[in-house]
């Protein structure tokens, strides 16, 4: 089962890589702000974030203010929109600081399981994390959609 907080790195989930693998499709298209990643790249990105956010905030917290789920009528998939916050006690500023976070997910059924096939996250939280090398995405459509029918 996909849970919104299960694949996030904080609170420092001990089995987080397993939850990441359970939530995301191996064919994942993932963005964070303007960077693009695949399944492995998204795992590297969150591991990098996990380390720096854990040092900047004590403790780092996040949550959702609004969520909207739109199910597909023909399978177990759908769309999820989330608006939330992230932050906590910022060690350098020595005060609580919270920032806006947003995410959009496309969920499809893969072998009877719900998997996130597309995930787009945006945040204005300052972070010194090294961003892993992004992937280049090509723009393509499946063959069955390239034909224009009238």
């Amino acid at each position: 089962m996909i849970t919104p907080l299960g694949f996030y790195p904080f609170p420092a989930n001990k089995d987080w890589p397993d939850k990441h693998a359970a939530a995301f499709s191996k064919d994942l298209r993932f963005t964070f702000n303007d960077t693009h990643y695949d399944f492995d790249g998204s795992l590297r990105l969150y591991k990098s974030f996990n380390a720096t956010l854990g040092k900047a905030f004590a403790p780092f917290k996040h949550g959702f203010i609004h969520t909207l789920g739109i199910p597909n009528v023909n399978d177990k998939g759908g769309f999820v929109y989330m608006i939330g916050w992230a932050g906590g006690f910022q060690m350098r500023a020595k005060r609580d600081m919270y920032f806006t976070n947003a995410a959009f997910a496309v969920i499809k059924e893969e072998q009877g399981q719900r998997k996130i096939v597309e995930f787009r996250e945006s945040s204005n939280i300052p972070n010194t994390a090294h961003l892993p090398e992004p992937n280049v995405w090509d723009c393509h459509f499946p063959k069955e959609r390239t034909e224009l029918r009238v």
Side-chain angles (χ1 to χ4, degrees):
M1 179 167 90
I2 298 171
T3 61
L5 298 177
F7 56 79
Y8 274 89
F10 279 97
N13 299 323
K14 293 184 174 122
D15 61 347
W16 179 73
D18 293 332
K19 289 183 179 182
H20 178 271
F24 291 111
S25 169
K26 294 288 185 187
D27 296 323
L28 176 68
R29 289 199 170 216
F30 182 102
T31 65
F32 181 80
N33 291 343
D34 194 31
T35 56
H36 297 78
Y37 298 100
D38 58 10
F39 179 86
D40 293 327
S42 68
L43 184 60
R44 287 191 302 274
L45 177 73
Y46 273 151
K47 283 181 179 179
S48 178
F49 283 175
N50 195 17
T52 57
L53 291 173
K55 291 176 184 173
F57 295 92
F60 178 75
K61 302 176 196 173
H62 57 85
F64 299 102
I65 300 166
H66 297 287
T67 58
L68 171 64
I70 308 296
N72 286 344
V73 295
N74 57 344
D75 64 19
K76 293 181 182 178
F79 303 91
V80 178
Y81 301 83
M82 299 176 283
I83 298 289
W85 53 270
F89 185 79
Q90 212 287 334
M91 302 295 286
R92 179 173 272 170
K94 300 201 182 315
R95 67 182 183 101
D96 285 338
M97 297 180 77
Y98 293 94
F99 303 88
T100 305
N101 196 41
F104 166 75
V106 177
I107 299 168
K108 299 229 180 211
E109 186 176 353
E110 290 184 356
Q111 300 173 342
Q113 300 289 316
R114 288 183 178 106
K115 295 284 188 167
I116 299 170
V117 297
E118 180 179 345
F119 191 76
R120 297 181 179 267
E121 184 176 3
S122 297
S123 182
N124 63 353
I125 191 169
N127 194 342
T128 59
H130 169 75
L131 295 179
E133 189 68 30
N135 299 99
V136 176
W137 290 1
D138 61 344
C139 182
H140 67 281
F141 294 99
K143 284 185 179 182
E144 63 271 10
R145 291 191 183 178
T146 57
E147 225 176 83
L148 183 61
R149 296 182 188 193
V150 193

